[in-house]
Amino acid sequence: MAQKTINLILMGYGNVGRALVRLLEEKTDRLRASHGLSLSLQAIFKSTGGLFPCAGLEIKDILDDPAAGLSSHPLWKSNLSLESVLREAEPGVLVDCAPSNLKTGEPGLTHTRLALDSGWHVVTANKGPLAVDFSALRRKASGNRLALKFSGAVAAALPALDVGLYSLAGTEVLAIEGILNGTTNFILAEMGKGRSYSEAFQEARARGIAEPDPAYDVEGWDTAVKLLLIANAVMGLELRLADISVEGIVDLPAELVERARSEGKSLKLLGRIRREQSGPIASVAPCTIDRTHPLFGVDGPAKGITYFTDTMGALTISGGKSDPRGAAAALLKDIINIYRS
Ligand SMILES: NC(=O)c1ccc[n+]([C@@H]2O[C@H](COP(=O)([O-])OP(=O)(O)OC[C@H]3O[C@@H](n4cnc5c(N)ncnc54)[C@H](OP(=O)(O)O)[C@@H]3O)[C@@H](O)[C@H]2O)c1
């Protein structure tokens, strides 16, 4: 198989960034044999600087860095600028694993614009830039004939976007319903076992399912952003966060969950959008669903999504790992798929 070398720049070396670097090491042979790809890490950025040039380095040497923080590495540069790396290296893919800021989109928004203006594809796990400027970023990417892929930002390993964009091609997606946040689904499942909201919340923390600051999750914003990105991409909309009515599960009375359970039903935090003649209607809210609902069995920290279409009926996918390794695997899949075509 003919081999192609692709340069990567990694923004963010936290849980997901490190998991991606580990995967690059682990999957080197498979990427060459099955996809003809050799992924060459050029630079890794953190908030305080970056490691550059990484091209000649063995990935295992980066991973073996005793501080695991990179800044003690001889190639660490505290004043490294993204512009200089984008200029010096042959364009490939910028991978954004920086923190999500849903209000400003930064730091990812500036990185993404710079990369797309410099001939680099962007693959991102970071919801922030997409939440703030989705339509303009997509236009910039397509105007420059570049890919902007974001599976890792919407549902990590659950291939919600791939199914919506590829498998449902030619259909009209009439509505979407999704359980798109594993933390809240876990909390609701624990409440279904008789726990209060705060007990279930603490359990999610203790098991490492909830992030240190899970406010976006439990207030429903994480679900809302994912719904927005999926709906805009798959249904061709230009929704903004303000167009979605959002209600989370904070301090949800345990009786509501218990009542649903005693009736053989289940309470889920659902993201929903449907086309109406007046325009799309989108919401995030706790909803009671019965056994006939396709997402009834999506339990614990799992996620799932149902597409309602005009010609293929309703299709549901669920499962996939909800952790940094699952998110990193989604990033790797997006990188591979850019070059598949
Ligand atoms: N964790 C998951 O399971 C998961 C799943 C799907 C999507 N995501 C998304 O993936 C992204 C990364 O998540 P994470 O859990 O890996 O976060 P994290 O552990 O907090 O790591 C974030 C990394 O970004 C770096 N960073 C911050 N500001 C930066 C800047 N201006 N330039 C370059 N790098 C910068 C941080 O640098 P320092 O080390 O210097 O602070 C850190 O290395 C987030 O947007 C998150 O929402 C996470």
Side-chain angles (χ1 to χ4, degrees), residues 11-17 45-48 97-100 107 111 125-127 152 323-324 327:
M11 303 293 315
Y13 192 62
N15 299 309
V16 178
F45 283 86
K46 297 185 23 153
S47 63
T48 47
C97 297
S100 291
H111 304 152
N126 178 357
K127 290 175 270 299
D323 62 6

Side-chain angles (χ1 to χ4, degrees), residues 10-18 44-49 69 76 96-101 106-108 111 124-129 151-156 211 222 226 303 322-328 331:
L10 177 59
M11 303 293 315
Y13 192 62
N15 299 309
V16 178
R18 277 200 298 274
I44 303 175
F45 283 86
K46 297 185 23 153
S47 63
T48 47
W76 176 261
D96 185 353
C97 297
S100 291
N101 183 322
E106 298 297 353
H111 304 152
T124 183
N126 178 357
K127 290 175 270 299
S151 299
V154 296
E211 291 182 24
D222 181 75
K226 290 170 178 169
K303 289 182 278 208
S322 279
D323 62 6
R325 187 171 160 87
L331 293 167

Side-chain angles (χ1 to χ4, degrees), residues 163-283:
V163 168
L165 290 171
Y166 297 98
S167 309
L168 303 182
T171 67
E172 185 178 4
V173 174
L174 306 169
I176 299 173
E177 296 195 1
I179 294 172
L180 300 171
N181 181 272
T183 302
T184 45
N185 206 37
F186 175 84
I187 291 173
L188 292 173
E190 289 299 300
M191 290 176 76
K193 295 175 191 164
R195 293 186 153 172
S196 69
Y197 172 80
S198 61
E199 286 167 347
F201 182 88
Q202 292 310 330
E203 183 66 26
R205 273 261 173 87
R207 293 211 204 170
I209 293 168
E211 291 182 24
D213 178 10
Y216 279 144
D217 296 341
V218 292
E219 289 170 5
W221 292 107
D222 181 75
T223 300
V225 177
K226 290 170 178 169
L227 178 70
L228 170 106
L229 299 178
I230 295 169
N232 281 354
V234 174
M235 298 170 85
L237 304 174
E238 298 218 348
L239 282 185
R240 303 189 70 88
L241 263 183
D243 300 324
I244 305 179
S245 123
V246 181
E247 183 189 336
I249 62 161
V250 180
D251 293 332
L252 190 80
E255 305 85 78
L256 289 183
V257 184
E258 175 51 30
R259 190 185 312 146
R261 202 187 61 80
S262 67
E263 291 170 354
K265 298 177 180 168
S266 186
L267 198 84
K268 308 284 191 192
L269 184 67
L270 284 191
R272 302 203 271 198
I273 180 161
R274 64 178 192 279
R275 287 184 198 274
E276 292 285 328
Q277 280 198 328
S278 54
I281 298 192
S283 64

Side-chain angles (χ1 to χ4, degrees), residues 15-76:
N15 299 309
V16 178
R18 277 200 298 274
L20 178 66
V21 174
R22 269 185 221 110
L23 271 186
L24 294 180
E25 161 80 353
E26 198 180 311
K27 301 282 183 182
T28 303
D29 293 343
R30 171 169 287 278
L31 286 165
R32 290 209 180 107
S34 303
H35 303 286
L37 290 180
S38 168
L39 300 182
S40 171
L41 197 53
Q42 298 292 307
I44 303 175
F45 283 86
K46 297 185 23 153
S47 63
T48 47
L51 196 67
F52 178 73
C54 309
L57 298 179
E58 293 282 336
I59 288 182
K60 67 176 169 39
D61 293 339
I62 299 174
L63 288 168
D64 284 350
D65 173 25
L70 301 183
S71 54
S72 53
H73 197 284
L75 292 175
W76 176 261

